Amino acid sequence: MTVTLFKAVCSTGQSFTPLFLSPLSLLTDSKKQLRIGRSSGSESKYRVRAMPCSSPVVSADNGALRNFKLNESTFLASLMPKKEIGADRFLEAHPNFDGRGVVIAIFDSGVDPAAAGLQVTSDGKPKILDVIDCTGSGDIDTSNVVKADADGCIRGASGATLIVNSSWKNPSGEWHVGYKLVYELFTDTLTSRLKTERKKKWDEKHQEAVAEAVKQLDEFDKKHVKVEDAQLKRVHEDLQNRVEYLRKQTDSYDDKGPVIDAVVWHDGEVWTVALDTQSLEDDPERGKLADFVPLTNYRIERKFGIFSSLDACSFVVNVYDEGKILSVVTDSSPHGTHVGGIATAFHPKEPLLNGVAPGAQLISCKIGDSRLGSMETGTGLIRALIAAVEHKCDLINMSYGEATLLPDYGRFVDLVDEVVNKHRLIFVSSAGNSGPALSTVGAPGGTTSSIIGVGAYVSPAMAAGAHCVVEPPSEGLEYTWSSRGPTADGDLGVCISAPGGAVAPVPTWTLQRRMLMNGTSMSSPNACGGIALLVSAMKAEGIPVSPYTVREALENTCTPIGGLPEDKLSTGQGLMQVDKAHEYIQKLHGLPCVRYQIKIIQSGKSTPTSRGIYLREASTYQQSTEWTVEVEPKFHEDASNLEQLVPFEECIELRSTGKACVKAPEYLLLTHNGRSFNVVVDPTSLSEGLHFYELYGIDCKAPWRGPLFRIPITITKAHAVKNRPALISFSGMSFVPGHIERRYIEVPIGASWVEGTMRTSGFDTARRFFVDTVQMSPLKRPMKWENVVTFSSPSAKSFAFPVEGGRTMELVVAQFWSSGIGSHETAIVDFEIGFHGINTNKEEVVLDGSEAPVRIDAEALLSSEKLVPAAILNKIRIPYRPTDAKLHTLSSDRDKLPSGKQILALTLTYKFKLEDGAEVKPQVPLLNNRIYDNKFESQFYMISDLNKRVYGMGDVYPSSTKLPKGEYILQLYLRHDNMQYLEKMKQLVLFIERNLEDKEIIRLSFYSQPDGPVMGNGNFKSSVLMPGVKEAFYVGPPTKDKRPKNSPEGSVLLGIISYGKLSFGVKEEGKNPEKNPVSYQILYQVPPNKLDEDKGKSTTVACTKSVSERLEEEVRDAKIKVLGSLKQGTDEERAEWKQLSTSLKSEYPKYTPLLARILEGLVSQSIGEEKIPHYEEIINAADEVINSIDRDELAKYFALKNDPEDEEAEKQKKKMETTREQLAEALYQKGLAMAEIESLKGEEASALVSNEGVNVVRDDQSVPESHPDPFEENFKELKKWVDVKSSKYGTLFVIRERRCGRLGTALKVLNDMIQENDPPKKKLYELKISLLDQIGWGHLVSYERQWMHVRFPPSLPLF
């Protein structure tokens, strides 16, 4: 790899210093990974989970060490674990099979090409073959093309003048320009560091300005003890305004970051890129465009750059769509580099810290979107798959995922199946970090058949070395937080396990070389690196590489972790062993490459199909059940019909680990078309608790192969709570560090929440426990409750959480693995659970918009409960249809599927308006909250104002965005290769959900009578429900006066309603349903607004004008209307407008509305080279308007009061108000034109006299009467009619203060105007920058110019 550094960077050549990091230095800051992890207390940024207590490991080959001590070499080896999976033994025997010839695609947050150990492979080849931002978060629109002037200068997209290096080849002479706010390319952590550094420098300059402003004010006050002169008062006010402005600027400082200009051109061979990064540098001579060493697409030259020495952030570039799109690729968190380092890092001087496969190469496919805090998007996932196939990768590692409601389902899963089955890529992924409860594996790693899902294992050496524990466990075991199977459809979930922690490389911007992280995010690349060793060997030995062969070898050579059958739900088939898998593959050579697809369905039913048998609910294990199992061999798509499919025939012996309750045929003859057989499961004689069995098939001709396929059978036989009240206790549970206890309970029908008490005893030092519960429901993600509780001494703690009656609940209590280490006392835990519930006849309460209340029937089935209903409406949801829908084909550069299908994009545009500032969240019910279990490929939205300023972005998990009042545009971007699907979405309904302010929240009332809402009587407060006795009450709709303003017809008010009360008490009970353990949705449909009583009334006013007079007026007004509609974009159009205006003016010379319309037309004209004549024409037109109005009559009219009941008087009032507005507008435009002429002529309006060291000397009183100031006279006249400080006319006031040298006052008024303007006007901010520049506050000028790129971008960013 050729590495080009454009800025000085921190040296990475220093020797490694051992890192002693606490267990808090854990997993990535990737927000997406946090969706499948857990956070707690002060460690909320990371996932910290306990080690489980498993049965002893049956083999010592997995890294278990008894009574061992670390030395330097074993310590370093523990930081990058390889011995545990047999990789060290394999490499000792086969040093050249270290990943050479293998390419791994890392689907993650991005891999830093500058990170330690990621430059070259063990055999000297480039380590990273390509670096791709699959999300589009680093895309820059470079479709704008410019030409260089005679001096070799071009105008950058940011507006800066850029000098092009004369040595750069550009045959076409066309330069594509674009720009980017650099913080959009950085992680939050890096941005925070840079903001801190930049703020220090800004503060220094700002304090200088503050000190100077205070000094000037102080000197003035000392010289003028008593100020009575009006002019001096204004001078003093101006000085005060300067100080106040600087003070407010200190409080409102918000660094949006520097802007970098990007230039793209074709040098005759390749697309080439240069960046101007001067705004990142303190030295104005550094970062210039001409000094940049040009880059091209990374895969061509494999060069990267560094933005500046301050950020130390590396980047690469890729150009797409014929130079129209530039992708600047940075990582979105350290996670991806860490993952890539575990799999492939090569440190020639520190071999113990090598990754598992130092000879392997990789491509970095960034799927973590920087705009979303590193969460993955559908776009990123699909583009990553395209890139992996295009680069002919052998393996994919993906350490991302989340919970899912449908396993092995969705658009991404379909494409993964194609990539694995057709293109033979081996896909490895993390199982998730949501353990220790069952059925917590995440998608895609733990739920997808074609993916090898990896659990996280920790060895004693890792615990002692990487985690620095005082007393490591005596045996290796699975981390407690590692997600468990089975999946909802019974599949095992976890395939294999691998070490789940490492000290591995991280990006240079972290200012360190390595970092400790742990999680299944780390176990997956460890396994992937181990598989790379196998693939390297297979290629070298001429063995065809197949994901089917590799998976069979891995699963059948694992070292079991734990001795109980159910341990497989935690660890999969066990800890992978590279050397044994290699031996297996060698023996397997020559046998068919085939996978065995399992489909299971309960006899007598047509749906659903499953991949295992999972008997979790009481109805499934109270009697025997019969299941039909279909086993179908699946070959790769390129398999030969005659040579592979037809001859395929296997004699299978079926074996069961649970013969007492699982009955199946003994043998099976399997051909290419598959075979079905029946299985009977009889769990009736099983004891309460967890039971796990496997039914597996053995090749009769080659039994050494082990199981060819496995059918997991999981039974959780729950304890039925029959006593009333419904209480259950688990006493005397003993805990040592890392121990886990599981209990299964059949939640009584009628229960909706649990109140639990956990009592501890028998220990001295503090103990920390994880308490989880999980319930499963069809087509829902697992219903999980989790808590982390610390006992500083033996005591009791109470919990409350929702449950679903009639379904099995797993209760898991685990002592945190390092809690209590050093103390050999056993903690004793007693856990008591009480089930409570109030059943109602309505799962969701809907108030239909009428005045009628809704009746609710309530009943307690388990025990007496206090009925305390409470309901609030705290959100409003307004529906919108698209105002525009555009469908287009995406570029084939990165959006063409391996199948050859082209991806299409649909952009839907919605418009909405906020009358007040609010926090809003867009909702698309059809698409939200599903990434992997969604047949739609991708969605992304962007909210912007009319100035194109972007306020918010999001994807399937919309987030709340704070918006000021104003009009907004929301664009929703959908992708798919099927045009018909997108066509159906062109009228997709989107909801804008807004949180109501505290004062707007509606608390609903309850009644014991149906007429209560109208009559105001029969209020219902509370009651005691006796078991089996129903009670009814009513919930009333909100009254009209309580409904929030801006709640149009068709909108819905949303909230929650609760009925019960905790026995141990909660503050605000009966008032706030959010305080209760279980609540339900309530909504109110906003009815049509009341008809306007005045609407439809005829307003017949006697008309005294003749028909001919009325006709003449109508014709006149029609002519003026036509004049106003004429465009003036071209010279011909302006000539036509001029001709008509002159004609009309000669026809109606004194008609004020016509003259005002002519003035309006002149103002709207684009200004050519002859600027002064144009402004003089405006002044003349304004004078004509002014002279056409009898100002004395107008003044007299507004001095009188009018009778509002007199319709004729009201009509006259409107006419006179219009005339006043026309007069004010004419005076205003005249003043602006006069100021422009002064500026253009470069003449000072008056002699500026230095007064007290401040350029504030003149106003209207200082001008001698013999020399009247036309501008001042005009301003005085305007001041008579309107508030000159208002947002409409304030610009002239600002100009006037500026003419007088009172720049502080001008700034104050201008700031007030900016606050009132909606949306903000660019001209006002440009005027603000001009004032700041004139005062000499350069640091504020730079600050405001940076903000201009945020407030007024030339176009919306790319999706």
Side-chain angles (χ1 to χ4, degrees):
M1 176 188 297
T2 303
V3 181
T4 304
L5 299 180
F6 304 106
K7 309 288 185 295
V9 298
C10 298
S11 169
T12 57
Q14 60 192 23
S15 61
F16 173 68
T17 302
L19 299 175
F20 294 90
L21 302 180
S22 73
L24 304 189
S25 300
L26 297 177
L27 211 53
T28 175
D29 59 356
S30 163
K31 294 182 181 177
K32 187 50 178 251
Q33 275 294 312
L34 289 174
R35 287 217 289 263
I36 61 171
R38 95 188 279 162
S39 58
S40 58
S42 62
E43 302 161 8
S44 59
K45 185 177 178 181
Y46 306 105
R47 282 179 297 299
V48 184
R49 297 306 305 265
M51 297 181 184
C53 177
S54 299
S55 297
V57 177
V58 296
S59 170
D61 291 337
N62 66 349
L65 300 173
R66 292 181 180 274
N67 301 319
F68 71 97
K69 284 189 176 181
L70 291 175
N71 55 38
E72 183 180 358
S73 63
T74 56
F75 168 69
L76 291 176
S78 75
L79 302 182
M80 184 65 79
K82 296 181 278 291
K83 180 178 181 180
E84 288 79 354
I85 62 171
D88 59 340
R89 298 189 299 272
F90 178 80
L91 288 173
E92 285 175 13
H94 309 285
N96 291 330
F97 299 166
D98 61 353
R100 298 176 195 188
V102 178
V103 180
I104 304 173
I106 304 293
F107 289 13
D108 216 286
S109 61
V111 179
D112 182 3
L118 295 178
Q119 279 70 54
V120 295
T121 65
S122 56
D123 57 346
K125 294 179 180 178
K127 173 65 68 176
I128 302 177
L129 297 177
D130 205 355
V131 179
I132 309 163
D133 178 4
C134 301
T135 67
S137 57
D139 285 0
I140 300 175
D141 183 354
T142 52
S143 59
N144 184 25
V145 178
V146 299
K147 297 269 190 179
D149 62 19
D151 298 323
C153 295
I154 60 173
R155 184 174 177 81
S158 72
T161 299
L162 308 173
I163 300 175
V164 174
N165 190 315
S166 59
S167 66
W168 293 344
K169 295 179 182 178
N170 184 354
S172 69
E174 295 182 342
W175 306 92
H176 294 249
V177 294
Y179 78 91
K180 190 83 168 174
L181 291 163
V182 78
Y183 285 174
E184 295 176 0
L185 299 170
F186 293 164
T187 66
D188 291 343
T189 305
L190 175 56
T191 298
S192 178
R193 174 165 69 81
L194 292 182
K195 282 185 174 182
T196 301
E197 294 294 328
R198 285 164 55 85
K199 181 68 161 55
K200 289 178 185 176
K201 297 172 183 177
W202 187 87
D203 280 343
E204 292 175 5
K205 296 176 182 178
H206 195 64
Q207 287 305 315
E208 290 178 8
V210 171
E212 180 61 27
V214 171
K215 176 185 174 184
Q216 290 178 357
L217 178 61
D218 185 53
E219 289 176 351
F220 181 93
D221 288 340
K222 286 179 180 178
K223 189 165 186 178
H224 304 280
V225 179
K226 189 175 182 181
V227 179
E228 295 182 352
D229 179 70
Q231 181 179 341
L232 289 177
K233 283 182 179 180
R234 282 188 278 272
V235 172
H236 186 264
E237 181 186 6
D238 178 69
L239 292 172
Q240 284 182 321
N241 286 333
R242 294 186 185 207
V243 174
E244 182 64 16
Y245 180 87
L246 291 172
R247 185 191 66 77
K248 288 183 178 179
Q249 199 65 36
T250 303
D251 298 335
S252 64
Y253 177 85
D254 182 12
D255 179 15
K256 288 298 181 181
V259 171
I260 57 171
D261 270 291
V263 180
V264 177
W265 71 98
H266 200 281
D267 67 2
E269 297 180 2
V270 294
W271 286 101
T272 308
V273 178
L275 302 182
D276 183 277
T277 59
Q278 285 187 88
S279 58
L280 283 161
E281 303 284 358
D282 292 328
D283 184 351
E285 295 303 312
R286 299 184 66 184
K288 291 181 178 180
L289 179 75
D291 297 333
F292 190 91
V293 179
L295 296 172
T296 187
N297 287 18
Y298 182 83
R299 68 186 297 183
I300 297 175
E301 294 183 350
R302 300 192 183 95
K303 293 180 181 178
F304 64 84
I306 303 238
F307 289 107
S308 72
S309 57
L310 179 61
D311 55 74
C313 181
S314 62
F315 67 92
V316 307
V317 300
N318 293 302
V319 181
Y320 301 110
D321 199 12
E322 295 298 314
K324 295 176 184 175
I325 297 175
L326 167 64
S327 174
V328 178
V329 191
T330 56
D331 60 76
S332 57
S333 85
H335 189 264
T337 302
H338 198 272
V339 165
I342 291 173
T344 71
F346 173 59
H347 302 281
K349 295 181 180 180
E350 299 161 342
L352 290 174
L353 293 171
N354 280 349
V356 181
Q361 295 175 295
L362 60 83
I363 66 165
S364 169
C365 298
K366 176 181 171 182
I367 62 170
D369 197 306
S370 297
R371 297 167 293 188
L372 306 178
S374 196
M375 290 170 63
E376 76 269 47
T377 62
T379 298
L381 291 168
I382 303 306
R383 283 178 174 169
L385 285 175
I386 294 170
V389 174
E390 179 188 344
H391 284 76
K392 302 187 186 311
C393 293
D394 301 288
L395 289 120
I396 295 172
N397 182 86
M398 178 170 162
S399 295
Y400 266 64
E402 65 174 20
T404 180
L405 59 89
L406 283 171
D408 207 30
Y409 170 89
R411 167 76 166 167
F412 180 68
V413 171
D414 293 342
L415 292 174
V416 167
D417 289 344
E418 180 185 331
V419 165
V420 172
N421 300 326
K422 180 178 180 180
H423 300 280
R424 299 190 177 219
L425 274 75
I426 302 167
F427 202 125
V428 187
S429 184
S430 52
N433 303 329
S434 295
L438 297 189
S439 300
T440 51
V441 285
T447 62
T448 307
S449 294
S450 55
I451 294 178
I452 299 173
V454 187
Y457 165 89
V458 60
S459 69
M462 292 167 61
H467 291 290
C468 301
V469 299
V470 177
E471 293 183 15
S474 60
E475 299 287 349
L477 35 102
E478 206 80 358
Y479 281 104
T480 305
W481 38 253
S482 187
S483 290
R484 269 66 174 177
T487 62
D489 67 342
D491 193 38
L492 188 60
V494 183
C495 299
I496 58 174
S497 290
V503 174
V506 289
T508 55
W509 61 259
T510 63
L511 306 185
Q512 64 185 91
R513 299 183 71 199
R514 300 177 180 86
M515 183 185 293
L516 169 65
M517 298 186 190
N518 63 7
T520 55
S521 284
M522 282 64 247
S523 63
S524 181
N526 190 288
C528 188
I531 297 170
L533 301 181
L534 295 175
V535 175
S536 180
M538 294 172 75
K539 288 186 172 185
E541 295 172 344
I543 300 174
V545 178
S546 165
Y548 307 157
T549 304
V550 170
R551 183 165 183 160
E552 180 183 332
L554 288 171
E555 292 184 345
N556 286 327
T557 58
C558 283
T559 297
I561 305 172
L564 299 175
E566 54 266 29
D567 286 331
K568 285 192 174 184
L569 294 171
S570 299
T571 67
Q573 301 306 322
L575 185 64
M576 69 176 287
Q577 299 296 305
V578 176
D579 52 345
K580 293 179 181 179
H582 177 235
E583 294 171 4
Y584 185 99
I585 289 171
Q586 287 178 319
K587 292 175 67 177
L588 199 64
H589 183 38
L591 293 175
C593 293
V594 62
R595 67 182 174 93
Y596 299 86
Q597 179 176 285
I598 306 295
K599 288 185 179 179
I600 305 171
I601 194 164
Q602 189 171 352
S603 298
K605 296 184 178 180
S606 58
T607 57
T609 59
S610 62
R611 295 171 294 165
I613 298 174
Y614 192 7
L615 307 181
R616 184 179 174 101
E617 308 305 329
S619 61
T620 63
Y621 56 68
Q622 290 174 346
Q623 70 282 320
S624 296
T625 52
E626 185 176 11
W627 303 79
T628 299
V629 178
E630 180 185 344
V631 182
E632 185 178 357
K634 292 288 186 180
F635 291 77
H636 287 293
E637 291 188 17
D638 58 357
S640 167
N641 287 343
L642 292 176
E643 295 180 9
Q644 292 174 277
L645 273 58
V646 173
F648 178 81
E649 188 172 274
E650 290 180 333
C651 178
I652 304 294
E653 180 187 355
L654 294 176
R655 298 180 185 178
S656 170
T657 61
K659 294 181 179 179
C661 64
V662 179
K663 296 180 181 179
E666 293 184 357
Y667 290 92
L668 189 72
L669 184 63
L670 191 62
T671 65
H672 165 250
N673 290 318
R675 188 74 172 86
S676 296
F677 60 91
N678 285 358
V679 175
V680 175
V681 181
D682 182 7
T684 54
S685 60
L686 296 176
S687 60
E688 291 179 359
L690 172 62
H691 304 272
F692 177 80
Y693 308 103
E694 279 186 326
L695 179 63
Y696 55 92
I698 299 292
D699 186 348
C700 297
K701 296 179 181 178
W704 60 266
R705 293 175 65 184
L708 302 184
F709 57 84
R710 296 174 174 86
I711 300 167
I713 301 166
T714 309
I715 304 168
T716 56
K717 204 162 186 183
H719 177 82
V721 183
K722 297 180 179 178
N723 54 307
R724 296 294 182 268
L727 297 171
I728 184 171
S729 298
F730 304 107
S731 302
M733 294 187 291
S734 298
F735 286 88
V736 294
H739 182 67
I740 295 174
E741 289 284 347
R742 302 178 188 274
R743 297 293 185 270
Y744 299 92
I745 308 154
E746 185 183 336
V747 177
I749 293 175
S752 54
W753 80 87
V754 161
E755 295 179 17
T757 302
M758 183 177 175
R759 295 182 176 84
T760 58
S761 60
F763 59 91
D764 48 10
T765 57
R767 296 292 191 271
R768 192 179 189 197
F769 293 90
F770 292 145
V771 184
D772 289 5
T773 66
V774 170
Q775 287 185 283
M776 306 282 289
S777 291
L779 296 180
K780 283 185 180 179
R781 292 182 177 180
M783 181 178 173
K784 186 179 180 184
W785 174 83
E786 59 185 18
N787 202 350
V788 180
V789 57
T790 300
F791 292 88
S792 57
S793 61
S795 58
K797 293 186 184 290
S798 297
F799 312 96
F801 51 88
V803 293
E804 186 177 340
R807 307 200 73 84
T808 295
M809 179 184 79
E810 180 187 23
L811 168 68
V812 185
V813 182
Q815 183 172 327
F816 185 55
W817 73 277
S818 64
S819 176
I821 281 184
S823 169
H824 297 282
E825 294 186 346
T826 300
I828 306 300
V829 173
D830 299 327
F831 213 104
E832 183 180 88
I833 289 177
F835 291 97
H836 299 262
I838 296 177
N839 282 18
T840 67
N841 61 330
K842 296 188 182 299
E843 185 76 18
E844 179 182 78
V845 178
V846 179
L847 298 163
D848 60 12
S850 70
E851 288 71 24
V854 171
R855 174 192 166 109
I856 296 175
D857 297 334
E859 181 181 17
L861 300 181
L862 303 177
S863 60
S864 61
E865 301 285 356
K866 185 145 188 192
L867 176 62
V868 187
I872 59 171
L873 298 173
N874 55 4
K875 297 177 182 178
I876 183 170
R877 183 180 284 181
I878 303 175
Y880 292 89
R881 291 275 189 190
T883 58
D884 187 37
K886 292 182 179 177
L887 184 65
H888 66 281
T889 304
L890 296 172
S891 167
S892 60
D893 288 352
R894 49 180 175 172
D895 292 311
K896 190 174 185 178
L897 295 171
S899 64
K901 294 181 179 179
Q902 192 70 45
I903 298 174
L904 308 172
L906 174 66
T907 304
L908 301 175
T909 301
Y910 302 83
K911 294 182 179 180
F912 65 97
K913 185 177 182 179
L914 296 177
E915 297 296 337
D916 295 296
E919 197 172 84
V920 303
K921 180 189 289 186
Q923 300 275 11
V924 185
L926 176 65
L927 303 173
N928 284 162
N929 304 318
R930 292 182 295 137
I931 287 185
Y932 299 103
D933 46 356
N934 191 334
K935 287 292 185 178
F936 258 87
E937 176 180 310
S938 177
Q939 55 185 290
F940 200 93
Y941 71 83
M942 193 182 301
I943 302 174
S944 60
D945 64 13
L946 299 183
N947 289 323
K948 300 185 179 67
R949 176 182 175 181
V950 176
Y951 280 87
M953 296 180 178
D955 66 336
V956 296
Y957 295 97
S959 57
S960 295
T961 302
K962 270 192 170 183
L963 299 175
K965 72 172 186 176
E967 295 181 50
Y968 294 92
I969 295 171
L970 184 148
Q971 288 192 320
L972 179 64
Y973 181 77
L974 306 173
R975 292 164 43 109
H976 207 282
D977 60 54
N978 190 313
M979 187 174 71
Q980 291 180 338
Y981 292 165
L982 294 175
E983 287 285 350
K984 292 178 181 179
M985 309 292 273
K986 284 190 171 180
Q987 287 300 315
L988 184 68
V989 173
L990 175 141
F991 293 96
I992 297 294
E993 186 176 282
R994 174 172 65 87
N995 294 328
L996 298 181
E997 295 181 12
D998 290 343
K999 62 182 180 181
E1000 294 181 302
I1001 292 176
I1002 303 169
R1003 302 191 180 278
L1004 299 178
S1005 300
F1006 298 88
Y1007 305 92
S1008 56
Q1009 300 171 4
D1011 300 319
V1014 178
M1015 306 300 292
N1017 59 358
N1019 286 345
F1020 182 90
K1021 297 294 184 183
S1022 64
S1023 177
V1024 176
L1025 290 175
M1026 303 306 294
V1029 179
K1030 284 188 178 181
E1031 186 161 344
F1033 57 93
Y1034 295 89
V1035 57
T1039 57
K1040 182 185 176 184
D1041 62 308
K1042 289 186 177 180
R1043 292 210 304 260
K1045 60 180 180 179
N1046 307 320
S1047 50
E1049 176 185 353
S1051 59
V1052 176
L1053 297 176
L1054 298 171
I1056 54 175
I1057 183 170
S1058 66
Y1059 307 102
K1061 170 192 171 184
L1062 291 177
S1063 61
F1064 49 79
V1066 174
K1067 290 182 180 179
E1068 299 182 32
E1069 62 187 18
K1071 294 181 180 179
N1072 189 352
E1074 295 174 309
K1075 299 288 183 181
N1076 292 313
V1078 61
S1079 58
Y1080 307 91
Q1081 182 168 279
I1082 183 170
L1083 56 89
Y1084 171 74
Q1085 297 171 345
V1086 177
N1089 293 323
K1090 185 178 72 171
L1091 291 175
D1092 189 346
E1093 294 176 357
D1094 297 327
K1095 193 173 181 180
K1097 287 185 179 180
S1098 59
T1099 54
T1100 55
V1101 179
C1103 183
T1104 58
K1105 295 181 181 178
S1106 66
V1107 173
S1108 60
E1109 288 176 326
R1110 287 162 55 195
L1111 180 61
E1112 186 178 341
E1113 288 180 357
E1114 291 287 343
V1115 170
R1116 177 197 63 198
D1117 294 342
K1119 290 179 180 179
I1120 296 173
K1121 187 176 181 181
V1122 170
L1123 177 67
S1125 67
L1126 293 181
K1127 295 180 180 179
Q1128 300 187 65
T1130 65
D1131 291 340
E1132 290 182 2
E1133 289 172 342
R1134 281 191 290 273
E1136 288 180 356
W1137 181 89
K1138 181 74 173 175
Q1139 182 180 354
L1140 180 58
S1141 62
T1142 303
S1143 171
L1144 292 177
K1145 192 159 61 171
S1146 63
E1147 192 173 355
Y1148 312 107
K1150 290 294 183 180
Y1151 187 55
T1152 303
L1154 169 63
L1155 300 175
R1157 183 59 62 89
I1158 292 172
L1159 173 61
E1160 181 184 330
L1162 288 170
V1163 170
S1164 66
Q1165 284 181 6
S1166 58
I1167 306 173
E1169 295 181 1
E1170 299 293 327
K1171 294 182 179 180
I1172 292 179
H1174 173 74
Y1175 288 121
E1176 288 175 343
E1177 192 175 0
I1178 288 177
I1179 292 172
N1180 293 333
D1183 283 336
E1184 288 179 340
V1185 175
I1186 295 166
N1187 295 332
S1188 71
I1189 298 171
D1190 188 335
R1191 284 172 277 174
D1192 291 337
E1193 181 186 346
L1194 194 63
K1196 288 177 183 177
Y1197 175 83
F1198 283 108
L1200 302 174
K1201 288 186 178 181
N1202 296 302
D1203 181 5
E1205 300 296 324
D1206 186 341
E1207 292 184 9
E1208 189 63 36
E1210 280 297 298
K1211 190 175 179 182
Q1212 179 66 11
K1213 179 184 176 184
K1214 288 181 181 179
K1215 180 181 178 182
M1216 297 301 279
E1217 285 176 343
T1218 300
T1219 302
R1220 181 174 60 183
E1221 289 174 4
Q1222 291 167 340
L1223 173 62
E1225 182 65 17
L1227 292 166
Y1228 174 67
Q1229 293 297 340
K1230 179 181 178 181
L1232 293 179
M1234 293 168 75
E1236 289 289 347
I1237 290 174
E1238 281 185 2
S1239 175
L1240 290 169
K1241 288 182 176 180
E1243 297 174 355
E1244 295 184 359
S1246 63
L1248 296 181
V1249 181
S1250 177
N1251 185 50
E1252 310 303 333
V1254 184
N1255 293 331
V1256 183
V1257 296
R1258 73 163 292 257
D1259 62 16
D1260 47 309
Q1261 293 184 1
S1262 64
V1263 181
E1265 290 185 8
S1266 57
H1267 296 88
D1269 183 345
F1271 177 91
E1272 201 63 46
E1273 293 296 322
N1274 183 78
F1275 184 82
K1276 277 184 183 179
E1277 185 65 25
L1278 176 63
K1279 199 173 179 181
K1280 294 177 184 177
W1281 302 102
V1282 292
D1283 177 9
V1284 289
K1285 292 184 180 181
S1286 68
S1287 60
K1288 189 172 183 180
Y1289 305 106
T1291 302
L1292 196 61
F1293 185 89
V1294 171
I1295 291 172
R1296 189 247 191 169
E1297 292 300 298
R1298 185 177 194 171
R1299 292 175 82 248
C1300 297
R1302 295 190 289 267
L1303 305 180
T1305 304
L1307 268 176
K1308 181 181 184 302
V1309 174
L1310 184 57
N1311 253 5
D1312 293 341
M1313 289 170 57
I1314 287 172
Q1315 295 299 319
E1316 293 175 18
N1317 267 272
D1318 177 44
K1321 293 180 179 178
K1322 188 175 183 179
K1323 285 186 176 181
L1324 296 183
Y1325 283 98
E1326 290 172 341
L1327 180 56
K1328 182 179 183 180
I1329 291 172
S1330 176
L1331 289 171
L1332 293 171
D1333 189 40
Q1334 188 172 343
I1335 293 176
W1337 293 339
H1339 68 295
L1340 292 181
V1341 172
S1342 299
Y1343 174 78
E1344 289 294 338
R1345 281 179 178 157
Q1346 287 175 4
W1347 262 97
M1348 291 293 282
H1349 297 291
V1350 177
R1351 294 187 178 106
F1352 307 102
S1355 61
L1356 288 171
L1358 300 172
F1359 281 104

